[in-house]
């Protein structure tokens, strides 16, 4: 049987399994809005661990990262720093977000910010930033899925059709089972993608080079330019290294699909365990990615699309059944992020827009129905956005991450009581200034002084937020005391 | 209810200070100028791996260790 038939069939088998899981999850749903959107705030450690890991790692982990190691060398190992930082952020900020969500019934990031800043404008701005920049992320995942299916089928399934099929499957099980379907499929996807990238990398490394040690020896001998900074094309300058670390840690965590996960945890302890241990999964996934990318630079130099190096190597050097299983893992990586983004956007649009401004007094079943219709709409938008010209996946990820980064001063103001209170005028001005700075430093004058646009934009945001907050009225003492007092009790308890 | 009397940006326990300072110190070593200066080399190889790669891998594992220690100490 031809390799492409085996590979494509295995991906479709995987898709059928996810659809079944989605429908099983739908049958377990209680019909309650909080259950549909937040797993009833009962997600345990294993489920939450795998959904966070699978959601954080996307098509980018399989395609973009191997392509980056292939092109720019070891500089991409900066990924270890940003994934460890994601764990620390979850540990410190995630647990605080969980505590406030549990106490005050928040469902979206905008709920928390609007409550603390006593401002509907803050709610609208947060929801807008959340949706606007994560829609870009839908595009990234959809493109990754298109790459994978068209690669697996040897371009017999076109990129456009592949994208549509996989988007429809993810949207389908989300509609059927809400976040429970997302979490259950993420468990499968998280395990599958991790095993797939490790097995694929080890098989290729042993077959082509005789093992990881021999691979390193060959890279040292033949491509030493890949083993130091800034890499063969000068990409990993100090400013870019630091910038990517900031953008792909804080910027990803502050996206709504990650923030919502904190609300869903069963306990604070679950979140802290999550923060301390997720970097093990997140960071170690880039070890095999380095093997693939650097090995590919030796074995298959000069391929046209570097992001395709992993599938290209598999087709050339691995058995068809293994290639299929691994590409199904790549599909899992993309779908687990995509379904979470679709869910987050559905939640934000249902809760922060529809329930707040369109129908405030409808039944829970009505809001769930609206949420499902929103997913259909997002499916269409995501598809239209994704059938454009190809770019390096990491550039798009950075753009999305840098957008969500603009929520950072506002979130820090809520979660970290300090000497200076940030105010609604401060955070709104900061967000606006940060977005303008992001446009200027990403599009008009890309990465001034070699420093990533995300860092420039968030620096401007912080400065403006604090400057304006000094001269504008804070929220009422009752609100500040209620929220910061709850954090004081949660973090320090009797010791304070 | 009352306003929290002290900032949440500064740890209040010895274990908290240890965790924050050790994390920040180790994390700083993964950033420029360390990573683009003294650590930016291929040799000496460490367990067969290029120096920069092994240097960062070691730091990442230590950072995870700091997080797990913080968890165990109840920080």
């Amino acid at each position: 049987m031809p390799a492409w038939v085996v590979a494509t069939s295995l991906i479709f088998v995987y898709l059928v399994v996810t659809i079944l899981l989605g429908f099983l999850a739908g049958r377990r749903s209680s019909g309650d809005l909080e259950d549909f959107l937040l797993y009833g705030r009962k997600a345990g450690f294993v489920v939450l661990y795998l959904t966070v890991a699978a959601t954080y790692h996307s098509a980018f982990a399989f395609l973009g990262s191997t392509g980056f190691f292939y092109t720019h060398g070891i500089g991409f190992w900066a990924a270890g720093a940003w994934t460890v930082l994601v764990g620390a952020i979850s540990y410190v900020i995630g647990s605080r977000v969980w505590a406030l969500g549990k106490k005050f019934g928040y469902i979206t990031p905008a709920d928390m910010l609007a409550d603390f800043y006593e401002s509907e404008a803050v709610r609208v701005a947060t929801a807008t930033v959340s949706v606007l920049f994560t829609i870009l992320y839908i595009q990234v995942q959809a493109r990754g899925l298109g790459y994978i299916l068209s690669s697996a089928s040897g371009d017999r399934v076109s990129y456009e059709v592949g994208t549509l099929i996989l988007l429809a499957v993810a949207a389908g099980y989300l509609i059927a089972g809400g976040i429970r379907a997302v979490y259950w499929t993420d468990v499968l996807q998280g395990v599958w993608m991790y095993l797939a990238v490790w097995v694929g990398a080890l098989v290729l490394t042993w077959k082509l080079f005789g093992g990881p040690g021999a691979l390193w020896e060959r890279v040292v001998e033949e491509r030493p330019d890949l083993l130091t900074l800034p890499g063969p094309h000068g990409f990993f300058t100090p400013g870019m290294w630091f910038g990517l670390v900031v953008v792909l840690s804080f910027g990803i965590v502050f996206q709504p699909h990650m923030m919502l996960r904190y609300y869903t945890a069963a306990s604070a302890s679950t979140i802290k365990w999550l923060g301390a241990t997720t970097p093990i999964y997140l960071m170690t996934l880039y070890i095999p990615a380095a093997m693939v990318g650097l090995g590919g630079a030796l074995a298959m130099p000069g391929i046209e699309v570097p992001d395709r190096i992993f599938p290209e190597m598999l087709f050339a050097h691995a058995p068809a059944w293994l290639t299929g299983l691994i590409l199904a893992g790549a599909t899992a990586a993309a779908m687990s992020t995509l379904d979470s983004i679709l869910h987050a956007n559905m939640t934000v649009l249902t809760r922060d827009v529809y329930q707040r401004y369109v129908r405030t007094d409808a039944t829970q079943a009505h809001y769930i129905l609206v949420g499902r219709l929103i997913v259909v709409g997002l499916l269409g938008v995501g598809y239209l956005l994704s059938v454009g010209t190809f770019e390096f996946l990491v550039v798009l990820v950075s753009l999305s991450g840098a957008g969500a980064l603009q929520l950072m001063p506002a979130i820090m103001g809520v979660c970290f009581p300090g000497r200076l209170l940030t105010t609604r005028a401060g955070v709104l001005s900061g967000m606006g200034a940060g977005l303008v700075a992001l446009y200027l430093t990403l599009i008009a004058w890309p990465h001034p002084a070699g420093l990533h646009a995300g860092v420039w934009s968030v620096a401007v945001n912080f400065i403006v937020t604090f400057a304006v907050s000094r001269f504008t009225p804070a929220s009422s003492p009752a609100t500040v005391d209620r929220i910061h007092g709850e954090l004081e009790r949660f973090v320090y308890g009797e010791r304070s | 209810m009352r306003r929290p009397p002290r900032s949440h940006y500064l740890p209040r326990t010895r274990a908290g200070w240890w965790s924050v300072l050790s994390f920040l110190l180790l994390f700083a070593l993964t950033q420029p100028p360390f990573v683009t200066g003294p650590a930016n080399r291929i040799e000496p190889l460490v367990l067969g791996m290029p120096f920069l790669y092994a240097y960062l891998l070691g730091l990442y594992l230590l950072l995870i260790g700091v997080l797990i220690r913080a968890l165990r100490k109840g920080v």
Side-chain angles (χ1 to χ4, degrees):
Chain A
M1 194 181 288
W4 72 268
V5 175
V6 177
T8 311
S9 302
L10 281 167
I11 290 178
F12 277 95
V13 168
Y14 157 79
L15 292 179
V16 169
V17 173
T18 59
I19 290 168
L20 285 175
L21 269 177
F23 278 95
L24 281 175
R27 293 184 65 173
R28 283 281 301 275
S29 178
S30 68
D32 175 75
L33 187 62
E34 199 165 279
D35 186 73
F36 191 74
L37 299 180
L38 290 187
Y39 207 85
R41 300 185 199 269
K42 290 176 185 164
F45 174 72
V46 173
V47 170
L48 198 61
Y49 188 96
L50 286 167
T51 188
V52 165
T55 299
Y56 183 86
H57 277 318
S58 57
F60 171 65
F62 263 75
L63 304 174
S65 67
T66 50
F68 242 75
F69 277 116
Y70 178 92
T71 309
H72 299 290
I74 206 159
F76 199 76
W77 192 215
W82 69 67
T83 50
V84 168
L85 199 50
V86 165
I89 297 166
S90 295
Y91 192 98
V92 178
I93 299 178
S95 56
R96 291 164 186 253
V97 169
W98 173 85
L100 295 179
K102 178 94 174 166
K103 177 73 179 176
F104 301 117
Y106 301 146
I107 288 180
T108 64
D111 277 341
M112 180 177 79
L113 297 182
D115 186 24
F116 181 79
Y117 293 106
E118 298 175 334
S119 166
E120 285 305 295
V122 169
R123 179 188 300 279
V124 171
T126 305
T128 304
V129 167
S130 298
V131 170
L132 187 67
F133 287 96
T134 48
I135 279 180
L136 282 173
Y137 219 61
I138 292 176
Q139 179 195 35
V140 175
Q141 304 315 316
R143 285 183 170 196
L145 288 166
Y147 274 141
I148 294 162
L149 200 51
S150 63
S151 293
S153 65
D155 290 323
R156 289 169 184 85
V157 176
S158 71
Y159 163 78
E160 290 79 5
V161 172
T163 302
L164 186 60
I165 290 172
L166 296 169
L167 266 171
V169 169
Y173 66 71
L174 171 58
I175 287 169
I179 196 169
R180 180 168 278 102
V182 172
Y183 275 24
W184 285 13
T185 52
D186 279 1
V187 168
L188 169 73
Q189 289 159 346
V191 173
W192 197 323
M193 65 190 264
Y194 191 81
L195 292 177
V197 73
W198 267 103
V199 170
L202 288 173
V203 165
L204 290 171
T205 304
W206 281 100
K207 186 161 186 179
L208 293 173
F209 305 101
L215 166 64
W216 285 121
E217 276 176 29
R218 288 274 306 275
V219 182
V220 169
E221 281 169 20
E222 297 174 30
R223 291 295 307 273
D225 57 323
L226 290 171
L227 296 179
T228 52
L229 303 175
H233 304 285
F235 182 85
F236 280 100
T237 59
M240 194 53 73
W241 177 285
F242 176 70
L244 285 174
V245 168
V246 172
V247 169
L248 295 176
S249 55
F250 286 98
I252 301 288
V253 167
F254 291 146
Q255 290 186 343
H257 58 284
M258 295 296 284
M259 289 281 285
L260 283 172
R261 272 157 176 69
Y262 298 141
Y263 290 141
T264 66
S267 68
S269 165
T270 307
I271 294 278
K272 290 202 168 184
W273 271 96
L274 178 78
T277 56
T278 39
I280 297 170
Y281 180 119
L282 299 178
M283 183 269 284
T284 56
L285 198 77
Y286 289 118
I287 295 174
M291 291 185 211
V292 173
L294 297 173
L298 300 182
M300 300 181 78
I303 69 167
E304 195 177 335
V305 183
D307 287 355
R308 283 192 173 199
I309 185 61
F310 200 5
E312 296 282 349
M313 286 177 76
L314 289 169
F315 273 110
H317 302 290
W321 63 270
L322 184 62
T323 303
L325 286 176
I326 291 167
L327 290 182
T331 311
M335 286 185 76
S336 56
T337 307
L338 177 69
D339 59 17
S340 301
I341 296 168
L342 287 172
H343 166 265
N345 278 298
M346 171 191 77
T347 304
V348 168
L349 291 170
T350 305
R351 169 79 171 179
D352 294 330
V353 179
Y354 188 81
Q355 191 177 5
R356 195 77 190 174
Y357 300 111
V358 182
R359 283 280 302 273
T360 55
D361 57 350
T363 62
Q364 301 215 7
H366 177 82
Y367 292 126
I368 290 174
L369 174 66
V370 168
R372 287 172 166 148
L373 292 173
I374 287 172
V375 174
V376 176
L378 289 170
L379 167 70
V381 172
Y383 179 71
L384 289 176
L385 283 173
S386 59
V387 286
T389 53
F390 292 142
E391 294 291 341
F392 241 69
L393 290 172
V394 73
V395 175
L396 289 175
V397 172
S398 298
L399 181 62
S400 334
L405 202 55
Q406 306 314 318
L407 300 177
M408 187 174 175
I411 292 170
M412 296 294 281
V414 178
C415 292
F416 282 87
R419 223 181 259 176
L420 175 66
L421 274 177
T422 47
T423 67
R424 72 186 71 89
V427 297
L428 286 170
S429 312
M431 268 188 235
L435 289 171
V436 171
L438 179 61
Y439 174 79
L440 293 175
T441 56
L442 198 67
I443 309 293
W445 300 282
H447 310 304
L451 192 58
H452 193 285
V455 177
W456 284 109
S457 63
V458 80
V460 168
N461 189 338
F462 266 109
I463 291 167
V464 172
T465 298
F466 285 127
V468 174
S469 293
R470 283 188 72 88
F471 304 104
T472 51
S475 300
S476 66
T479 297
V480 174
D481 285 354
R482 174 170 57 85
I483 293 173
H484 280 175
E486 179 59 28
L487 283 175
E488 180 74 13
R489 271 191 304 281
F490 169 71
V491 178
Y492 298 107
E494 298 303 314
R495 286 175 288 168
S496 61
Chain B
M1 264 178 240
R2 58 183 171 70
R3 289 279 304 280
R6 293 158 68 185
S7 166
H8 280 216
Y9 283 95
L10 296 176
R12 297 185 194 171
T13 63
R14 191 170 170 168
W17 273 108
W18 193 94
S19 300
V20 169
L21 290 180
S22 51
F23 190 91
L24 290 177
L25 174 68
L26 291 169
F27 198 80
L29 293 175
T30 70
Q31 298 302 304
F34 301 102
V35 80
T36 49
N40 189 17
R41 59 178 66 206
I42 297 172
E43 292 182 326
L45 299 179
V46 180
L47 300 173
M49 296 179 284
F51 183 81
L52 177 59
Y53 182 85
Y55 166 84
L56 286 168
L57 178 60
L59 286 172
Y60 298 154
L61 292 174
L62 285 172
L63 283 162
I64 293 170
V66 170
L67 290 174
I68 292 173
R69 184 182 182 277
L71 180 71
R72 291 172 62 89
K73 293 281 181 185
V75 173

